[in-house]
Amino acid sequence: MSHAGAPDRALGDQSGADHAGEDTAEGETGPSLHDQYLVADFPWYGLDEGWDGRRWLASVCQGREGLEYGTLGHGDAPSRRPGDPSPRRFVSVVTVPQRERRPSGDGAGLLEATSMASAASVAGVALLADSWPWDLDRELRQEWMDQQTHLAWELADNLEGDGWTGLALPVNGVPNRFRYRESEYGWVLAGQAAGVYLGVYGRGVSAYGLGLALMPELKAYEA
């Protein structure tokens, strides 16, 4: 979190966020993905009861200071298969705890405060990561990803800019103002609730008419 103006880097690398079940030592297995969600010191948010589709645990990002954020998925899970022609309909809700600027645990410096821009950048980069142009060769795909990620950072750093509009969605039944933008890959929302910042991204599902809610338990996401 030492890079001001780069909120996604301040929250780690989402691409390697889910390490559930990896071997931590010979004969030893790390905590399950579900267990990693349960130890969070912040509340989780997902779509409210108006969503009647599938729900699933998506990923968490573990940093040196503990859990940095996590995502609850709704709809179709990522296929990650090159050339898969089937359209996907999904909405993912990223919960980022509100943290003040603070010393790092190793004493090497300061961790930047989280913000709505943090949630926006995580959501924007995650949407891109699910939109790889598989028809390009590997080198060009990486160049595309680097360019689009940089653009996502810049957009997240300017939530009041021309790339965003306002959108009101209910959170726990109460209207809440979000910043909203669309792209050819899908859409991204950024807002906040009590104690957390929220980043929401999706494709194939309209953001209009969605509602968010606190998830006191995650049973619906465990199937």
Side-chain angles (χ1 to χ4, degrees):
M1 292 189 181
S2 58
H3 296 83
D8 58 295
R9 283 173 287 180
L11 287 172
D13 178 9
Q14 170 130 356
S15 62
D18 178 8
H19 301 292
E22 289 186 358
D23 290 340
T24 55
E26 186 175 353
E28 182 180 342
T29 301
S32 68
L33 180 59
H34 176 257
D35 288 342
Q36 292 183 65
Y37 277 87
L38 292 182
V39 300
D41 62 349
F42 54 89
W44 294 106
Y45 280 78
L47 295 185
D48 64 17
E49 67 278 0
W51 177 264
D52 60 3
R54 180 189 176 195
R55 297 171 184 257
W56 41 281
L57 299 177
S59 64
V60 294
C61 181
Q62 292 279 1
R64 292 182 179 179
E65 313 304 317
L67 195 62
E68 296 185 339
Y69 61 84
T71 305
L72 294 179
H74 309 78
D76 298 328
S79 65
R80 304 296 185 187
R81 293 196 303 272
D84 187 348
S86 58
R88 288 187 57 227
R89 298 179 67 254
F90 71 92
V91 177
S92 296
V93 180
V94 181
T95 305
V96 178
Q98 294 182 7
R99 311 279 198 209
E100 298 295 333
R101 196 168 189 233
R102 61 211 182 278
S104 62
D106 58 8
L110 292 175
L111 301 177
E112 294 294 334
T114 58
S115 65
M116 231 163 75
S118 304
S121 65
V122 171
V125 172
L127 179 62
L128 290 171
D130 194 52
S131 306
W132 279 92
W134 292 105
D135 55 324
L136 299 178
D137 64 44
R138 183 184 299 271
E139 183 176 346
L140 290 177
R141 282 205 309 269
Q142 187 58 55
E143 182 178 344
W144 175 90
M145 188 64 180
D146 291 343
Q147 292 173 344
Q148 295 298 319
T149 297
H150 183 70
L151 177 60
W153 290 342
E154 289 186 337
L155 286 168
D157 246 357
N158 186 22
L159 291 174
E160 299 303 320
D162 293 339
W164 299 86
T165 59
L167 180 62
L169 295 178
V171 177
N172 295 324
V174 179
N176 200 320
R177 298 296 299 179
F178 284 81
R179 301 302 291 167
Y180 172 76
R181 70 175 177 87
E182 293 181 353
S183 75
E184 60 183 298
Y185 312 112
W187 51 262
V188 174
L189 285 163
Q192 65 184 89
V196 299
Y197 297 106
L198 299 173
V200 190
Y201 62 98
R203 185 166 61 243
V205 177
S206 174
Y208 294 85
L210 294 178
L212 302 178
L214 179 67
M215 297 288 118
E217 57 182 40
L218 297 175
K219 290 182 180 179
Y221 293 88
E222 296 172 17

